[in-house]
Short mmCIF file of all heavy atoms in Angstrom, two decimals:
data_model
loop_
_atom_site.label_atom_id
_atom_site.label_comp_id
_atom_site.label_asym_id
_atom_site.label_seq_id
_atom_site.Cartn_x
_atom_site.Cartn_y
_atom_site.Cartn_z
N ILE A 1008 -21.89 -10.76 30.35
CA ILE A 1008 -22.95 -10.30 31.26
C ILE A 1008 -23.50 -11.48 32.05
O ILE A 1008 -23.79 -11.36 33.25
CB ILE A 1008 -24.07 -9.59 30.47
CG1 ILE A 1008 -23.51 -8.32 29.80
CG2 ILE A 1008 -25.24 -9.23 31.37
CD1 ILE A 1008 -24.44 -7.68 28.79
N ASP A 1009 -23.65 -12.63 31.41
CA ASP A 1009 -24.16 -13.82 32.08
C ASP A 1009 -23.23 -14.25 33.21
O ASP A 1009 -23.68 -14.69 34.27
CB ASP A 1009 -24.33 -14.96 31.06
CG ASP A 1009 -24.99 -16.20 31.65
OD1 ASP A 1009 -25.90 -16.05 32.50
OD2 ASP A 1009 -24.58 -17.32 31.29
N ARG A 1010 -21.93 -14.13 33.00
CA ARG A 1010 -20.97 -14.48 34.07
C ARG A 1010 -21.18 -13.58 35.28
O ARG A 1010 -21.23 -14.04 36.41
CB ARG A 1010 -19.54 -14.30 33.54
CG ARG A 1010 -18.47 -14.52 34.61
CD ARG A 1010 -17.18 -13.78 34.30
NE ARG A 1010 -17.35 -12.34 34.17
CZ ARG A 1010 -17.47 -11.51 35.22
NH1 ARG A 1010 -17.46 -11.98 36.47
NH2 ARG A 1010 -17.61 -10.21 35.03
N TRP A 1011 -21.34 -12.29 35.03
CA TRP A 1011 -21.57 -11.33 36.12
C TRP A 1011 -22.88 -11.62 36.84
O TRP A 1011 -22.93 -11.68 38.07
CB TRP A 1011 -21.56 -9.91 35.53
CG TRP A 1011 -22.06 -8.84 36.46
CD1 TRP A 1011 -21.60 -8.55 37.72
CD2 TRP A 1011 -23.12 -7.91 36.20
NE1 TRP A 1011 -22.31 -7.49 38.25
CE2 TRP A 1011 -23.24 -7.08 37.34
CE3 TRP A 1011 -23.95 -7.69 35.10
CZ2 TRP A 1011 -24.18 -6.05 37.42
CZ3 TRP A 1011 -24.87 -6.66 35.18
CH2 TRP A 1011 -24.99 -5.85 36.32
N VAL A 1012 -23.93 -11.82 36.07
CA VAL A 1012 -25.24 -12.09 36.67
C VAL A 1012 -25.21 -13.41 37.45
O VAL A 1012 -25.91 -13.56 38.44
CB VAL A 1012 -26.35 -12.09 35.59
CG1 VAL A 1012 -27.68 -12.58 36.17
CG2 VAL A 1012 -26.52 -10.68 35.02
N GLY A 1013 -24.38 -14.35 37.01
CA GLY A 1013 -24.25 -15.60 37.76
C GLY A 1013 -23.80 -15.36 39.18
O GLY A 1013 -24.26 -16.04 40.12
N VAL A 1014 -22.92 -14.39 39.38
CA VAL A 1014 -22.48 -14.03 40.74
C VAL A 1014 -23.63 -13.40 41.52
O VAL A 1014 -23.85 -13.71 42.70
CB VAL A 1014 -21.27 -13.07 40.69
CG1 VAL A 1014 -20.84 -12.68 42.11
CG2 VAL A 1014 -20.10 -13.71 39.94
N LEU A 1015 -24.38 -12.51 40.85
CA LEU A 1015 -25.53 -11.88 41.51
C LEU A 1015 -26.55 -12.93 41.95
O LEU A 1015 -27.10 -12.87 43.06
CB LEU A 1015 -26.20 -10.88 40.57
CG LEU A 1015 -25.36 -9.71 40.03
CD1 LEU A 1015 -26.22 -8.80 39.17
CD2 LEU A 1015 -24.73 -8.92 41.17
N ARG A 1016 -26.81 -13.89 41.08
CA ARG A 1016 -27.80 -14.94 41.38
C ARG A 1016 -27.34 -15.81 42.54
O ARG A 1016 -28.15 -16.23 43.38
CB ARG A 1016 -28.07 -15.78 40.14
CG ARG A 1016 -28.75 -15.02 39.01
CD ARG A 1016 -28.84 -15.83 37.74
NE ARG A 1016 -29.80 -16.92 37.87
CZ ARG A 1016 -29.88 -17.93 37.01
NH1 ARG A 1016 -29.03 -18.01 35.98
NH2 ARG A 1016 -30.79 -18.87 37.17
N LYS A 1017 -26.05 -16.09 42.58
CA LYS A 1017 -25.52 -16.87 43.70
C LYS A 1017 -25.63 -16.10 45.00
O LYS A 1017 -26.05 -16.63 46.03
CB LYS A 1017 -24.05 -17.23 43.42
CG LYS A 1017 -23.39 -18.06 44.51
CD LYS A 1017 -21.94 -18.39 44.16
CE LYS A 1017 -21.28 -19.20 45.28
NZ LYS A 1017 -19.86 -19.51 44.95
N ASN A 1018 -25.27 -14.82 44.97
CA ASN A 1018 -25.35 -13.97 46.16
C ASN A 1018 -26.79 -13.81 46.63
O ASN A 1018 -27.06 -13.71 47.84
CB ASN A 1018 -24.76 -12.60 45.88
CG ASN A 1018 -23.24 -12.61 45.82
OD1 ASN A 1018 -22.60 -13.59 46.22
ND2 ASN A 1018 -22.66 -11.54 45.31
N TRP A 1039 -34.40 -14.33 34.11
CA TRP A 1039 -33.06 -14.37 33.55
C TRP A 1039 -32.93 -15.43 32.46
O TRP A 1039 -32.37 -15.16 31.39
CB TRP A 1039 -32.00 -14.60 34.63
CG TRP A 1039 -30.63 -14.59 34.03
CD1 TRP A 1039 -29.75 -15.61 33.91
CD2 TRP A 1039 -30.00 -13.46 33.40
NE1 TRP A 1039 -28.61 -15.21 33.24
CE2 TRP A 1039 -28.74 -13.89 32.92
CE3 TRP A 1039 -30.38 -12.13 33.19
CZ2 TRP A 1039 -27.87 -13.04 32.24
CZ3 TRP A 1039 -29.52 -11.28 32.51
CH2 TRP A 1039 -28.28 -11.74 32.05
#
Side-chain angles (χ1 to χ4, degrees):
I1008 296 169
D1009 185 38
R1010 175 205 59 78
W1011 168 56
V1012 171
V1014 179
L1015 301 182
R1016 294 172 71 194
K1017 181 179 179 181
N1018 285 348
W1039 182 248

